[in-house]
Amino acid sequence: MEQSHPIRSAVDKVVGAVTGDGGPAEIPGVPNSAPPSLEEPTEPREPLPPKPDQSGPDTFSPTGQPTGAPQAKVAQDGAYLTTAQGLRLRDTDHSLKAGPRGPVLLQDHHLREKVMHFDHERIPERVVHARGAGAHGVFRGYGAASNITKAAFLGKDVETPVFVRFSTVIGSRGSADTVRDTRGFATKFYTSEGVFDLVGNNMPVFFIQDAIKFPDVIHAAKWHPDREIPQAQTAHDTFWDFAGLHTEATFHTLWNMSDRGIPRSYRMMEGFGVHTFRLVDAEGATTLVKFHWKPKLGVHSLVWEEAQLLGGVDPDFHRRDLADAIEAGAHPQWELGIQVFPDTPEQTFEGIDLLDSTKIVPEELAPVQRIGLLTLNANPANFFAETEQVAFHVGHLVPGIDVTDDPLLAGRLFSYLDTQITRLAGPNFAQIPINRPHAPVNDMLRDGFHQTAVHRGVAPYRPNSLDGGCPFTAGAAEGAYVEVPLEVSGRKVREAPASYADHFSQARLFWLSMSPVEREHIIAAYTFELGKCYEQAVKERYLGVLANIDSVLCRQVAEGLGLPAPAASQPLADSPPSPALSQIGQTWPADGRIIGIVAGDGNGDVAALGAVRQAVLDGGLVPLIIAPTGGKLGGTLPVQRTFVTARSVEFDALLVAGAPAPGKDAYGARDAKAAGGADAPVDPRVLLLIAEVYRHGKPLGGWGTASQAFSEAGVPAQAPGVLLGEDGTSVLRETLELLGTHRVWDRFPAAASLT
């Protein structure tokens, strides 16, 4: 039986289209599960159900027992407004006063409760990873790791609910999504053996080797404490002062300056566990591994100008992209993989120290073995209750997975628990619904702020006889967690092993693994970031760091800064490239990509335009019609963007139907982008769309008189990735092929010195 396309089947479930006529929505973003009425509703009714793409935490008790309660019934309930105590209210618009003009009375219990709760709505944001977005999903094990770990959730076809939170590191909750920064990739597995948290990043290395330096690197990267600027970026003196003096940060800094620092989407981003972990099988044998998340859509990035524009046009770009893709049925997927190493006393592999979190093991030396599939299939029903209150901890482990002696990991094992005490106001954060385990809990932990479990018995201690001896300790046969019994010895010292002293060889490996266009982007990033520094000494010092990576890199950045390029202070490493580190050279699915379709008021063949739009939907992508005004083209085709609201950075490709004449609002006083356009042959805002799409290397297609619009925008008709055809459907077909490589890379020639 033929199956419908996932995007079409998903959007057809959602009522309340853009038109508000109760039909199926054809683009994501509908605010609620039913369309609003024009007039204020007055007939009492129960709360609306969630949208089809939304889900709350599974309904478990604070002690890990499934309650069977419908998710909708653990949210607000009933048709009438009440106090927090369930008292129905007649009015919530007026304080209780002594007469209409009299003073407010102290006895107004509703006023006091309402304002008190509002005054305390906010909790402390995370010190790092404050800005994030999350989603629910499911993980299915392949069984491929069962020979090296007894972790039950990795067994063949075992399905485990998950919650994933993506984040930026440096900025506050209100910062922009598209800043140049490391991204967090934290996954909470609600396994049958307890919660397992894989708390990683989109980069496999970190700035520091020892957690005692974590406050230093974050203080350096955050805003300057006197002015609290710049927000959510490292383009300032304190960061580069630190990075130039603390050269173990070099490799991670290079990852940040590469395209990895500005991902196109959370859906198109790798994840890494960063540290080396120890897996344990049923017989107690151990293996060392590094965890990887490999996105099914490939690893793709923004270009720098896009990232800057998005910071103003749509600072919520990444969280919107994630939520819209899930709502549209283009469910993001990643395969979980592991690099496997023998657990030797030295804990090294091919000369690489596996306990050094500033190092990678190239995939050519240790291939990534796929062991499971993650699918994100539901958006949160409430951001605060789920995404903001979710609490991760690298010490949330399950039998079969253990930690190693990585000193950065050791500090994280302390810090994650500690931070929740302040952020979530006490030790009972595991009882918040999004954090509740899906396994029985009998922990003997009692009382404290926000205790929601109603414990029974009189003996929360061991040993006891008054509660019949319960709870009992378990052995390994009963699924107890048993740490690997490693022998530990050594002098008490504040030192690092000699292998930690190499700060440049892997940075050079990364540089040599980049394609010419990726190298150009790295040069531009360093030039921009260091160019934002005030102190010349900071710039000169870091050029000395770059010289130890590559002389061409150093020279090109030095030229941009107007400074001499220093010589390397040590011999450059002879590192063979690792092709797995480059984002360019393969083709990937285009599921969920956004296609802009530009049309003017005078488009005669609305049916043909509708056919293109339908073909985009059928191809698993999202079409957005862009026209001079809102409403419907030809009375039938809904418009999602106008020349005022559209900007090129929202789209992965642009299709242009003809050469749209200036709209009625095409003058500067109404829209600065349209200045001087009233008498132009093509609306200036359309020309801006075309020019930016071309400049950012995106596919650009057109039919009818679109060649005139391209010419007016200064786009050569014969340029790579510029597609002109007789009809929209044939142009779309070629566009979809180009999207497989993410960008038209031939539009980005590199300097001869980088090829």
Side-chain angles (χ1 to χ4, degrees):
M1 185 171 122
E2 184 178 351
Q3 293 184 339
S4 60
H5 192 277
I7 286 187
R8 298 297 305 145
S9 60
V11 298
D12 286 345
K13 296 177 185 175
V14 185
V15 296
V18 175
T19 57
D21 60 5
E26 293 182 321
I27 60 166
V30 58
N32 213 333
S33 57
S37 59
L38 184 60
E39 303 296 331
E40 180 182 354
T42 57
E43 187 67 26
R45 58 154 298 159
E46 294 289 319
L48 291 172
K51 297 193 300 176
D53 64 286
Q54 292 178 324
S55 173
D58 290 335
T59 51
F60 279 71
S61 76
T63 54
Q65 295 301 309
T67 66
Q71 287 187 1
K73 291 302 182 182
V74 296
Q76 65 268 34
D77 196 19
Y80 294 97
L81 177 68
T82 74
T83 67
Q85 312 306 317
L87 178 69
R88 289 185 179 181
L89 293 166
R90 184 180 65 84
D91 183 289
T92 191
D93 296 327
H94 306 93
S95 301
L96 189 64
K97 298 184 286 289
R101 298 177 62 82
V104 174
L105 301 180
L106 185 61
Q107 72 182 68
D108 191 346
H109 61 93
H110 176 42
L111 167 67
R112 283 187 291 149
E113 180 188 69
K114 186 176 180 180
V115 174
M116 174 277 295
H117 198 280
F118 172 76
D119 288 344
H120 296 273
E121 281 183 359
R122 295 293 172 263
I123 65 173
E125 67 177 27
R126 291 166 170 88
V127 175
V128 288
H129 297 275
R131 181 169 181 84
H136 296 274
V138 63
F139 176 82
R140 178 173 58 84
Y142 291 164
S146 296
N147 62 325
I148 58 173
T149 179
K150 59 185 177 182
F153 78 99
L154 293 174
K156 184 172 176 56
D157 295 329
V158 175
E159 293 195 347
T160 302
V162 300
F163 187 82
V164 176
R165 185 177 186 271
F166 304 101
S167 56
T168 54
V169 173
I170 299 172
S172 68
R173 273 192 66 185
S175 57
D177 280 347
T178 58
V179 296
R180 183 180 294 281
D181 196 1
T182 306
R183 264 70 180 178
F185 191 136
T187 307
K188 186 176 289 291
F189 297 83
Y190 303 95
T191 86
S192 61
E193 300 176 296
V195 167
F196 171 58
D197 287 344
L198 182 54
V199 195
N201 288 333
N202 74 322
M203 300 177 187
V205 291
F206 203 60
F207 292 105
I208 54 176
Q209 297 162 329
D210 191 310
I212 200 169
K213 294 298 295 179
F214 191 72
D216 298 300
V217 65
I218 297 304
H219 288 165
K222 288 272 192 179
W223 46 77
H224 291 202
D226 55 347
R227 302 185 180 187
E228 205 174 89
I229 55 174
Q231 171 68 244
Q233 58 178 298
T234 55
H236 55 84
D237 286 82
T238 61
F239 176 76
W240 292 102
D241 178 48
F242 174 85
L245 294 168
H246 189 74
T247 54
E248 71 188 51
T250 301
F251 193 16
H252 190 177
T253 300
L254 183 56
W255 277 81
N256 260 349
M257 295 303 105
S258 77
D259 290 343
R260 305 282 186 140
I262 44 174
R264 158 62 180 83
S265 165
Y266 291 137
R267 300 179 292 130
M268 304 164 197
M269 191 175 82
E270 279 185 300
F272 302 90
V274 179
H275 309 287
T276 300
F277 290 82
R278 179 174 279 110
L279 298 189
V280 187
D281 69 13
E283 282 70 46
T286 61
T287 306
L288 300 182
V289 301
K290 285 183 175 290
F291 289 107
H292 295 245
W293 289 112
K294 295 289 187 181
K296 286 285 199 175
L297 297 180
V299 187
H300 308 298
S301 297
L302 300 167
V303 295
W304 180 230
E305 187 187 32
E306 275 184 297
Q308 291 177 297
L309 289 172
L310 281 164
V313 174
D314 187 4
D316 305 308
F317 181 69
H318 282 153
R319 62 172 59 177
R320 188 189 314 281
D321 173 89
L322 177 66
D324 282 357
I326 292 172
E327 183 181 344
H331 296 153
Q333 291 186 317
W334 292 259
E335 285 188 295
L336 179 61
I338 51 175
Q339 288 180 294
V340 180
F341 319 104
D343 190 358
T344 63
E346 297 78 19
Q347 298 178 86
T348 62
F349 182 79
E350 298 288 338
I352 300 168
D353 194 328
L354 297 175
L355 300 186
D356 183 352
S357 289
T358 67
K359 303 291 193 301
I360 64 168
V361 177
E363 293 184 26
E364 292 74 19
L365 295 180
V368 176
Q369 304 173 30
R370 269 64 168 179
I371 62 173
L373 179 68
L374 167 68
T375 303
L376 298 184
N377 55 21
N379 286 310
N382 184 278
F383 184 92
F384 176 82
E386 300 167 76
T387 307
E388 188 61 20
Q389 290 197 122
V390 67
F392 296 95
H393 175 37
V394 288
H396 290 164
L397 302 165
V398 292
I401 303 177
D402 203 349
V403 299
T404 57
D405 293 330
D406 177 344
L408 178 60
L409 177 56
R412 294 180 73 196
L413 287 166
F414 171 83
S415 179
Y416 278 69
L417 276 180
D418 192 55
T419 192
Q420 312 300 350
I421 302 300
T422 296
R423 200 173 67 83
L424 297 173
N428 290 313
F429 58 86
Q431 296 184 19
I432 296 170
I434 191 63
N435 296 321
R436 289 177 181 173
H438 293 191
V441 174
N442 195 346
D443 56 19
M444 297 196 303
L445 306 176
R446 296 294 184 267
D447 307 339
F449 281 110
H450 311 304
Q451 176 61 255
T452 57
V454 183
H455 295 102
R456 298 181 181 180
V458 297
Y461 53 83
R462 275 193 49 80
N464 78 75
S465 64
L466 295 179
D467 281 348
C470 186
F472 299 88
T473 57
E478 291 78 36
Y481 187 88
V482 181
E483 289 80 3
V484 176
L486 297 173
E487 290 198 15
V488 178
S489 64
R491 295 179 301 112
K492 217 187 293 187
V493 295
R494 292 188 184 272
E495 297 176 4
S499 61
Y500 281 33
D502 175 12
H503 299 165
F504 300 110
S505 65
Q506 289 211 333
R508 178 161 175 77
L509 177 151
F510 187 90
W511 169 259
L512 295 175
S513 303
M514 295 294 100
S515 66
V517 66
E518 289 171 305
R519 293 184 188 182
E520 289 282 11
H521 293 168
I522 290 170
I523 290 168
Y526 275 119
T527 305
F528 177 88
E529 296 257 329
L530 292 169
K532 285 284 190 174
C533 293
Y534 182 87
E535 297 290 351
Q536 287 292 97
V538 170
K539 303 176 190 180
E540 292 175 12
R541 185 191 306 132
Y542 208 81
L543 286 174
V545 173
L546 296 181
N548 288 331
I549 300 174
D550 187 82
S551 59
V552 174
L553 168 63
C554 179
R555 184 173 65 253
Q556 295 286 337
V557 175
E559 287 179 1
L561 298 176
L563 294 171
S569 61
Q570 60 185 57
L572 298 182
D574 183 16
S575 302
S578 170
L581 295 174
S582 175
Q583 296 181 207
I584 297 176
Q586 300 183 55
T587 57
W588 304 93
D591 297 5
R593 295 294 185 117
I594 310 298
I595 308 296
I597 306 174
V598 179
D601 278 335
N603 265 79
D605 196 347
V606 174
L609 200 62
V612 174
R613 181 178 182 275
Q614 186 62 48
V616 173
L617 283 167
D618 292 341
L621 295 86
V622 177
L624 298 180
I625 299 290
I626 310 163
T629 64
K632 292 185 177 181
L633 289 176
T636 60
L637 201 58
V639 174
Q640 286 87 31
R641 299 290 186 273
T642 66
F643 293 171
V644 170
T645 61
R647 197 66 189 263
S648 69
V649 287
E650 184 177 8
F651 311 110
D652 294 289
L654 191 71
L655 304 179
V656 183
K664 295 177 181 178
D665 60 348
Y667 52 92
R670 181 73 62 86
D671 183 358
K673 300 191 301 298
D679 300 320
V682 181
D683 193 295
R685 294 162 296 187
V686 173
L687 300 181
L688 180 62
L689 281 172
I690 293 170
E692 287 181 348
V693 164
Y694 178 78
R695 191 162 67 244
H696 299 157
K698 299 175 183 178
L700 181 60
W703 59 92
T705 57
S707 58
Q708 177 190 355
F710 291 0
S711 176
E712 291 286 336
V715 172
Q718 305 303 316
V722 176
L723 310 169
L724 288 167
E726 295 297 321
D727 61 88
T729 52
S730 62
V731 171
L732 173 63
R733 196 174 304 114
E734 295 181 73
T735 300
L736 296 182
E737 291 180 10
L738 287 177
L739 279 175
T741 58
H742 182 57
R743 293 190 193 276
V744 183
W745 295 110
D746 290 346
R747 288 198 208 137
F748 296 100
S753 60
L754 300 178
T755 57

